[in-house]
Amino acid sequence: MGLGAGDFGPAHARDQFLHGGPVEGTVRSPILNSWQRSRSLGLTPEGCELPFRQDIDLDGRLVRAAGPVLDRLQARFAGRNMNVCLADGHGAVLQRRFGEASLVRHLAAIQSVPGFVFAEQFGGTNGIGLALAERQLINVYGAEHFAERSQTNACAAIPVRDPLSGRIEGVLCFGYPPAEADAALNTVISRAAGAIERRLLDQSSMRERALLQAYLDARSRAPADETTGNGQLGEAAGSGLDWRDEMILKEKAADLIASAQRAAVEVFLPGGRRATLLSRPVISPSGLEGIVIEAVLPTPHRHLAVLTEAGAPPAALAPQAPAVPPPGLSGHLYAPEPGRPVTTARPPGTAGTAEPATGSATGGVVLIGEPGVGSYAVAARRRLEVLSEASTRIGTTLDVSRTARELAEMAVPRLADYVTIDLPEAVLRGEEPTDLQTGLHRTVVHGIRANCPFYPAGERVALLPTTPQIRCLTDRQPILEPDLTAAPDWIAQDAAHARHILGHGIHSLIAVPLLARGIALGIASFYRSQDPAPFGDDDRSLAQELATRAAICIDNARRFTREHTVVLALQRSLLPQRFPEQSAVEVAHRYLPAASGVGGDWFDVIPLSGTRVALVVGDVVGHGLHAAATMGRLRTAARNFAELDLPPDEVLTHLDNLVGRLDRDEGTEDASCDSTGIIGASCLYAIYDPTSQVCVMARSGHPPPALVHPDGTVTFPDLPAGPPLGLGGLPFETATFHLPEGSRLVLYTDGLIGDRHRDVDTALDQLRRALAHPSRSPEDTCAEVVRTVVPERPDDDIALLVARTRALDPRRIATWELPADPSLVSGIRAAVTRQLAAWGLEEVVFATELLLSELVTNAIRYGNGPIQVRLLHDRTLICEVSDTSSTAPHLRHAASTDEGGRGLFLVAQLAQAWGTRYTADGKVIWAECALEPPGGQTDATERYFDDIPAL
């Protein structure tokens, strides 16, 4: 399958091609062409890195049209090793579906996560990229893929087109093992693509279809010499037009349609560029009259081709247009196929001749619409566009001042030429305002010119009660002053300043109160100067709507500012204030809250038995009080599970069960409660043993740590990635690493490397450079990471924990192996006595002999051999006795008639702490003794012997 001729397979052909040998006639032409393009792009089979885009439209018209079709495909392929994906017209994956749901856990991110771009210029020969390049159904098998990582895969891919324009909206792709290739899949994928295209067609209006068909019919009858171009500026990513250029062309074209006149208008674009718009009539067979607006753009631009009715912004150019526009104002993108000529022919029933493009230029259709919609419809649509865009551009942050400025930036120059916003200091602090008339501060001054003729930002503003601004607060209604020269109340505030403002051509004002949830938060003032027409009622309504939306965002930011302080205090109180003493690692840490709110990141250092230490970093998804409180619960639980001396994978299993229970418990609460559940949490748990310099780690949906070796080499270990906490049902895996003394283990949350303004690889490179200095202390390492890696305004909380490993001197470790023979207990006591004397610990010999005698005797009596005895001389003296039995001892109070049962009671009296930990081979019973015996030890020993019944 996939062979070009004979038995010369694609693997052999690809190898020969990569070594410069001839392969023509031995491999299919589309594949060979793609290989050649991949080489010309500088790609290598091992270096096809796919970019990741976060700005993909996951709810666009293509996704909405494809949703039901993808559902049916997923049901059809249920239980099969099939990967179904939908990509946009640039090759970025929008959705993935799997026939076998478990596939997603075993596939790499590029095969399971939306956002990776499979265009040929990045990934070489692959299904999605080749379908876009060849613009037809294609199949790629095994070695026909250019990248090494794809050699074991096969796929079928087909473009999905807009039926009206022929423009490729996206790609539908099936991925599967080569052994499951079936010719019937081509039929299935073709029918599925056709179903998506029909659903796209249903989204278009009948009026647009009629106008488009009339234009296409006229174009098909045009003489060949009237062709102006064949590009697709609207479709191509490299057209050179950004959203500002597109908006300028769209707005001017809408004006030409509303004027209903044949015209040629030159439009100047930013950067000294320009385009010419040509207006022509068109009539559908049913008599529907429209106007065609064609653009002639100098190269290197290709022509912009967009179809819409009068006043309607193209969907591709105005993605924020309302979902339900007024009648006759729907719009869709139109772009002809490459190589398919675009003519400016005279449509039937119209006068005049076509003007072909001249010079180095291309052209095409910009807008088609009905002039009867009129200028009022154009103006209404523009206002709807402003409101739609405002919903995404106002309130992008939870900063009061920034939100107020976004309102001003949104209004200039769409509605006004200058905007000032006055807020009281209380609002800026997050408090609820009391008296707005006396505590206003100029927060924002923004306009078409930098030298705005108003009181500057930052100054206190004392306004008279009769000014339009204070009156709008009192009446809680916008105040329109169409002629400021005839507004005595406004002039009375400061006559000299008023004359200064009027001298700049400012002639009209709308003052609007910022009202949210019944609270007046401030005043927004909109001024007009360039447009000679004064503000009208429609402008006042638009200003009020903008101010209302902004006020809600400002109030949200105010409430956040207030609550952020409270939550931040709570979270800091739940984080460790200081770490307990231990000798295994030297640690330093940082916690940085997100710019948008406090989250649920935490870290901890927990001493364990046997001089070991547990290092923990976790992250609760979300922000606010609930995330902080949940973080505290998980941190407490992690410490409790650590006290049980469990391995990392078992600790994560217990945390996973806990999160699941918390979610279920909170999900059963009354719906009126403000509880959102945990939703998701991640954790990285590591245990370092300084006696062996071995570190065991496991993670649950968390980024792997960084390891800095003593020579400065930085690595990110391949730690098995477990599912986030709370999903349940999947085991966690551990990984073991040897960390020489002086190594640094760096644990962090994803806020450190996750930033929308940079990709993860860039962040990891920055982190690697910041850590590649072995002489730095953990504290200096933290400072350097914060300085060079942390974003200026982090989108998420950041927890950072740096631990430099230490090793316990082998001379402070003593180990004995012995069989399960009671006669050897005395010999162990003698050996221990000699070792303690060598360490200079003669004062604890008596207590240690008693303690070890009991532990060894218990191991011989109740456990299984062989038995190991180990002494560790650290901050305390640690005695360990291990055997191969998994039976745990239990402390109990022996009756006066019992002959035994007092051993562990004595151990508990003699030791500072004792316990049991389980290993793969059995268990270890350990006890810690103070290096200087406390006064009560002798008394406890005497009571022990006194309690033994006389026989």
Side-chain angles (χ1 to χ4, degrees):
M1 189 171 297
L3 301 181
D7 296 326
F8 194 80
H12 187 188
R14 177 175 174 274
D15 183 70
Q16 188 165 331
F17 169 81
L18 294 175
H19 288 85
V23 293
E24 288 75 6
T26 62
V27 67
R28 292 183 291 139
S29 297
I31 301 298
L32 178 57
N33 293 339
S34 182
W35 288 355
Q36 293 170 342
R37 290 193 297 267
S38 300
R39 287 293 293 269
S40 67
L41 291 169
L43 299 178
T44 61
E46 302 82 10
C48 295
E49 297 297 330
L50 303 182
F52 180 80
R53 287 180 50 193
Q54 295 181 332
D55 59 343
I56 56 176
D57 188 0
L58 296 177
D59 192 33
R61 60 192 296 259
L62 176 61
V63 175
R64 293 195 301 271
V69 180
L70 295 179
D71 292 340
R72 291 196 296 271
L73 289 174
Q74 186 173 11
R76 180 189 182 105
F77 295 126
R80 293 182 58 180
N81 191 1
M82 179 69 70
N83 183 339
V84 180
C85 78
L86 178 73
D88 65 18
H90 303 294
V93 174
L94 302 174
Q95 279 203 11
R96 284 190 181 274
R97 304 292 178 89
F98 300 89
E100 176 55 53
S102 61
L103 280 177
V104 70
R105 298 194 297 269
H106 306 293
L107 294 177
I110 62 171
Q111 295 176 284
S112 58
V113 178
F116 285 96
V117 181
F118 284 78
E120 193 178 65
Q121 63 264 35
F122 304 116
T125 307
N126 69 86
I128 295 174
L130 191 53
L132 288 173
E134 297 291 329
R135 309 179 71 83
Q136 62 181 346
L137 171 64
I138 59 95
N139 297 99
V140 184
Y141 303 100
E144 290 181 341
H145 288 89
F146 189 79
E148 289 286 352
R149 62 169 173 267
S150 303
Q151 299 297 295
T152 59
N153 300 326
C155 64
I158 188 170
V160 177
R161 288 179 167 84
D162 186 325
L164 289 177
S165 64
R167 177 185 185 272
I168 293 179
E169 293 285 342
V171 175
L172 182 64
C173 182
F174 293 171
Y176 46 87
E180 295 189 24
D182 186 350
L185 288 176
N186 284 351
T187 303
V188 174
I189 198 171
S190 297
R191 291 178 177 175
I196 297 174
E197 291 172 351
R198 288 192 296 273
R199 291 181 58 83
L200 285 172
L201 182 63
D202 290 339
Q203 297 178 8
S204 303
S205 71
M206 294 300 297
R207 299 173 68 86
E208 289 173 326
R209 299 181 203 179
L211 286 176
L212 174 61
Q213 191 60 51
Y215 173 75
L216 295 178
D217 291 344
R219 190 179 68 177
S220 65
R221 293 189 292 269
D225 59 356
E226 292 183 353
T227 298
T228 60
N230 60 0
Q232 312 117 285
L233 194 60
E235 175 185 356
S239 66
L241 292 184
D242 60 20
W243 68 272
R244 298 175 183 83
D245 303 327
E246 296 167 349
M247 186 65 70
I248 292 171
L249 290 176
K250 174 205 66 176
E251 291 183 351
K252 191 60 182 178
D255 291 338
L256 288 175
I257 290 177
S259 67
Q261 294 179 355
R262 177 181 295 274
V265 177
E266 190 172 46
V267 180
F268 292 92
L269 302 175
R273 295 167 296 129
R274 61 184 180 177
T276 301
L277 295 181
L278 306 177
S279 173
R280 310 171 186 279
V282 63
I283 302 176
S284 72
S286 63
L288 182 64
E289 296 183 359
I291 297 293
V292 179
I293 307 298
E294 295 173 330
V296 177
L297 304 177
T299 55
H301 297 321
R302 297 182 300 185
H303 79 277
L304 181 65
V306 178
L307 166 69
T308 184
E309 294 189 356
L317 302 188
Q320 308 303 329
V324 185
L329 294 183
S330 58
H332 296 281
L333 183 68
Y334 168 72
E337 292 277 8
R340 184 176 182 182
V342 178
T343 68
T344 57
R346 181 176 70 254
T350 61
T353 58
E355 295 88 357
T358 59
S360 179
T362 57
V365 176
V366 178
L367 294 175
I368 295 179
E370 297 176 72
V373 176
S375 59
Y376 284 106
V378 173
R381 171 48 73 95
R382 289 179 180 173
R383 284 193 286 270
L384 289 173
E385 289 175 17
V386 171
L387 292 177
S388 179
E389 189 174 350
S391 65
T392 60
R393 292 184 58 185
I394 299 177
T396 59
T397 69
L398 286 171
D399 180 85
V400 173
S401 298
R402 178 59 198 162
T403 303
R405 184 162 190 85
E406 287 171 346
L407 167 60
E409 292 173 346
M410 186 67 232
V412 176
R414 306 286 187 82
L415 171 63
D417 298 313
Y418 298 95
V419 175
T420 65
I421 298 177
D422 303 321
L423 302 176
E425 256 189 323
V427 171
L428 298 174
R429 294 194 303 266
E431 302 170 6
E432 190 170 308
T434 53
D435 185 6
L436 289 182
Q437 298 188 20
T438 59
L440 289 172
H441 281 71
R442 181 59 48 86
T443 305
V444 174
V445 177
H446 182 64
I448 57 175
R449 297 186 183 88
N451 57 336
C452 298
F454 300 98
Y455 299 134
E459 288 193 3
R460 185 183 181 92
V461 180
L463 299 175
L464 297 176
T466 56
T467 58
Q469 286 82 359
I470 298 300
R471 283 193 287 122
C472 82
L473 276 180
T474 304
D475 300 339
R476 300 209 164 197
Q477 293 294 329
I479 300 296
L480 170 61
E481 293 287 356
D483 185 3
L484 288 178
T485 60
D489 292 337
W490 176 77
I491 296 175
Q493 170 67 31
D494 186 339
H497 187 60
R499 287 193 297 271
H500 177 63
I501 293 175
L502 293 172
H504 282 74
I506 297 171
H507 57 79
S508 191
L509 162 69
I510 300 174
V512 185
L514 297 173
L515 304 175
R517 303 178 179 95
I519 301 173
L521 302 173
I523 307 163
S525 300
F526 302 87
Y527 297 89
R528 175 172 287 180
S529 64
Q530 286 195 323
D531 190 340
F535 285 125
D537 291 334
D538 289 341
D539 298 315
R540 178 173 55 185
S541 299
L542 177 59
Q544 183 178 18
E545 183 65 26
L546 285 175
T548 300
R549 298 190 182 197
I552 295 295
C553 297
I554 291 173
D555 191 49
N556 290 339
R558 177 191 67 82
R559 291 167 180 257
F560 171 80
T561 302
R562 180 189 62 195
E563 295 175 3
H564 180 269
T565 304
V566 176
V567 176
L568 183 59
L570 169 64
Q571 198 213 29
R572 290 192 181 279
S573 69
L574 295 174
L575 290 173
Q577 306 303 307
R578 62 183 183 86
F579 293 131
E581 294 183 356
Q582 45 80 36
S583 304
V585 291
E586 176 189 357
V587 296
H589 62 88
R590 292 290 188 278
Y591 168 74
L592 302 173
S596 59
V598 177
D601 292 15
W602 91 89
F603 54 89
D604 215 340
V605 177
I606 309 170
L608 302 176
S609 63
T611 70
R612 299 170 307 136
V613 65
L615 305 172
V616 192
V617 167
D619 184 4
V620 176
V621 172
H623 294 89
L625 184 62
H626 183 266
T630 302
M631 175 273 291
R633 298 162 81 176
L634 292 183
R635 177 176 173 254
T636 300
R639 291 189 69 88
N640 291 336
F641 294 140
E643 290 293 330
L644 299 176
D645 251 334
L646 300 175
D649 56 332
E650 293 188 25
V651 171
L652 292 183
T653 299
H654 284 292
L655 288 175
D656 181 57
N657 294 334
L658 173 63
V659 172
R661 287 196 301 272
L662 291 176
D663 271 337
R664 289 192 297 271
D665 293 344
E666 295 183 359
T668 60
E669 294 180 359
D670 185 77
S672 62
C673 296
D674 186 19
S675 177
T676 58
I678 294 178
I679 300 175
S682 66
C683 184
L684 172 61
Y685 191 96
I687 295 178
Y688 172 70
D689 188 346
T691 65
S692 61
Q693 302 174 44
V694 168
C695 184
V696 182
M697 309 180 210
R699 62 178 174 136
S700 172
H702 202 85
L707 296 182
V708 185
H709 299 273
D711 61 356
T713 303
V714 181
T715 61
F716 296 93
D718 185 15
L719 188 60
L725 297 176
L727 294 184
L730 296 175
F732 298 98
E733 300 179 51
T734 60
T736 302
F737 303 92
H738 181 264
L739 302 183
E741 184 174 13
S743 301
R744 279 174 292 166
L745 180 61
V746 182
L747 287 70
Y748 53 89
T749 54
D750 56 6
L752 180 65
I753 59 174
D755 181 34
R756 57 187 173 185
H757 302 298
R758 65 178 177 185
D759 57 42
V760 174
D761 290 337
T762 300
L764 290 176
D765 288 340
Q766 293 174 343
L767 180 59
R768 181 180 284 106
R769 289 192 296 269
L771 297 177
H773 298 275
S775 60
R776 284 191 180 134
S777 67
E779 188 64 34
D780 292 339
T781 300
C782 282
E784 180 65 14
V785 170
V786 170
R787 187 182 69 84
T788 60
V789 184
V790 173
E792 183 177 354
R793 290 180 59 85
D795 297 326
D796 195 5
D797 283 24
I798 297 174
L800 175 66
L801 183 65
V802 178
R804 181 162 60 188
T805 62
R806 297 168 175 157
L808 187 62
D809 191 338
R811 293 172 296 182
R812 287 176 169 255
I813 305 173
T815 306
W816 297 273
E817 303 279 350
L818 67 154
D821 185 352
S823 64
L824 299 178
V825 175
S826 60
I828 284 295
R829 286 201 301 267
V832 168
T833 299
R834 290 192 297 270
Q835 184 62 61
L836 294 178
W839 285 342
L841 301 178
E842 292 86 351
E843 65 276 9
V844 296
V845 168
F846 179 68
T848 305
E849 283 186 342
L850 285 177
L851 190 151
L852 277 177
S853 294
E854 293 299 333
L855 295 181
V856 173
T857 302
N858 278 345
I860 293 174
R861 178 176 298 178
Y862 303 110
N864 298 320
I867 296 170
Q868 183 186 78
V869 177
R870 187 170 73 157
L871 292 182
L872 303 176
H873 182 194
D874 192 40
R875 294 174 180 270
T876 60
L877 180 64
I878 302 172
C879 306
E880 296 182 347
V881 176
S882 59
D883 59 58
T884 57
S885 170
S886 59
T887 303
H890 297 283
L891 178 67
R892 66 183 181 90
H893 288 279
S896 59
T897 57
D898 291 343
E899 296 184 8
R902 296 174 177 81
L904 288 180
F905 181 78
L906 176 61
V907 170
Q909 295 294 316
L910 294 176
Q912 287 188 152
W914 74 279
T916 304
R917 71 173 180 268
Y918 293 94
T919 66
D921 301 322
K923 69 175 182 297
V924 177
I925 304 177
W926 56 270
E928 292 185 8
C929 298
L931 296 182
E932 295 183 1
Q937 277 195 350
T938 302
D939 296 338
T941 306
E942 293 175 353
R943 287 196 305 272
Y944 167 73
F945 287 111
D946 290 342
D947 289 341
I948 298 178
L951 298 178

